[in-house]
Amino acid sequence: MKRFTSVVLLNLILITSLFAQNREKTPIGGRPDIKGDLFLELGFNTLNNKPSELNTQFIQSRTFNIYYQYPIRIFGEKSGFTFNPGLGVASDKFAFQGDKALFNNPAVGPNSSQLLPISDVYGDDINVGKNNVGLNFLEIPLEFRYHFNKNNYDKSVRFAFGGKIGYLFQSQTKISYVDSDGLDRKIKDRQSFGFNQFRYGVHARLGFPGFNLWGYYGLNEVFQKNKGPFNTQATQLNFGVSIALF
């Protein structure tokens, strides 16, 4: 994941540098005059339409996204409207309550999962530490924005609405625990767990210069049909804040 993310970030930097050739100098503390936005999003994840057994821990279930989006003015130069396609990487973590984790379900097949207490798999006499499942996506965000300041979009309050399409390129669980002999154990299990390889949904953003509030609602199910724990049909809800790096 770290190597892949580094490559994506390098490509984003190279892309944005193409728009920086003719930029003007800005005062210290000002926003560089580079076409487009590089957003760093921080937030939380939860599941909708789920059984109580799939409840997650709020603070430990987090999201981290980074997107570059390019503005295309529509309906005229000072209409206030732009269309903003982009590219980025999204990383979500889910931590299930009750020291439970995802494990393969042999009764269903290799591309499946079930939710089990970690002690049922690694022994009763253990102390569980870190426990989460991580999902990493390559995503294409598409959004329409309305800028209230039609003379200076960069310094305007704005509202955005659109959608995202994501491709899941990695899913894994991370579990750390202390065993009965007092030894620290760390286990990473990388497999599909029955997750849908593609996701899509709608998102909205309320933006201020350099700062945004955002939310995402998934339109398709997190797991493939009959492949997830309890045959769940859960969908995803993310929300948080973002910072415009430029």
Side-chain angles (χ1 to χ4, degrees), residues 2-239:
K2 292 182 179 178
R3 182 178 300 175
F4 182 89
T5 303
S6 298
V7 172
V8 172
L9 291 177
L10 178 59
N11 287 333
L12 289 175
I13 293 172
L14 291 175
I15 292 172
T16 55
S17 68
L18 295 177
F19 304 107
Q21 301 301 318
N22 297 320
R23 67 181 185 271
E24 298 176 357
K25 294 183 178 180
T26 57
I28 295 176
R31 171 179 168 143
D33 188 18
I34 300 176
K35 198 72 170 178
D37 299 288
L38 184 63
F39 287 118
L40 180 65
E41 294 186 346
L42 305 172
F44 300 96
N45 308 309
T46 188
L47 297 174
N48 299 309
N49 190 31
K50 65 183 185 299
S52 59
E53 292 87 352
L54 279 178
N55 286 339
T56 56
Q57 302 178 56
F58 177 73
I59 299 299
Q60 286 77 17
S61 298
R62 299 185 293 268
T63 186
F64 174 85
N65 310 322
I66 184 165
Y67 300 116
Y68 171 75
Q69 292 180 265
Y70 183 79
I72 301 173
R73 299 199 180 202
I74 55 178
F75 308 131
E77 283 298 310
K78 292 189 177 183
S79 68
F81 288 96
T82 59
F83 173 61
N84 299 73
L87 178 67
V89 175
S91 179
D92 295 335
K93 289 184 179 180
F94 292 96
F96 296 103
Q97 294 180 0
D99 288 338
K100 296 179 180 179
L102 294 180
F103 298 92
N104 175 252
N105 187 347
V108 177
N111 184 22
S112 66
S113 63
Q114 58 184 328
L115 188 70
L116 298 175
I118 296 173
S119 58
D120 286 358
V121 178
Y122 297 116
D124 293 328
D125 192 15
I126 64 174
N127 292 315
V128 179
K130 179 181 293 187
N131 167 34
N132 62 57
V133 55
L135 306 177
N136 299 308
F137 295 87
L138 180 65
E139 290 201 319
I140 298 175
L142 304 168
E143 69 180 39
F144 292 93
R145 296 182 195 168
Y146 178 72
H147 305 76
F148 290 89
N149 184 345
K150 298 180 177 59
N151 295 314
N152 191 334
Y153 288 7
D154 290 339
K155 295 183 179 180
S156 174
V157 175
R158 65 192 70 89
F159 175 76
F161 182 81
K164 293 193 293 186
I165 302 171
Y167 170 75
L168 178 65
F169 65 86
Q170 186 183 93
S171 57
Q172 68 177 20
T173 58
K174 290 183 180 180
I175 300 172
S176 65
Y177 66 91
V178 179
D179 67 14
S180 57
D181 296 322
L183 297 176
D184 292 324
R185 304 289 189 181
K186 295 181 180 180
I187 299 172
K188 292 183 181 180
D189 186 9
R190 186 172 297 172
Q191 55 174 296
S192 67
F193 292 108
F195 287 110
N196 264 317
Q197 196 167 21
F198 292 92
R199 72 174 180 183
Y200 53 89
V202 295
H203 77 270
R205 188 194 312 275
L206 178 61
F208 305 89
F211 174 80
N212 300 267
L213 302 174
W214 63 271
Y216 167 83
Y217 183 84
L219 296 178
N220 67 324
E221 297 174 9
V222 175
F223 293 93
Q224 298 177 44
K225 186 176 181 180
N226 299 326
K227 295 295 183 69
F230 314 110
N231 292 328
T232 181
Q233 297 179 338
T235 56
Q236 191 171 347
L237 174 66
N238 298 3
F239 56 92

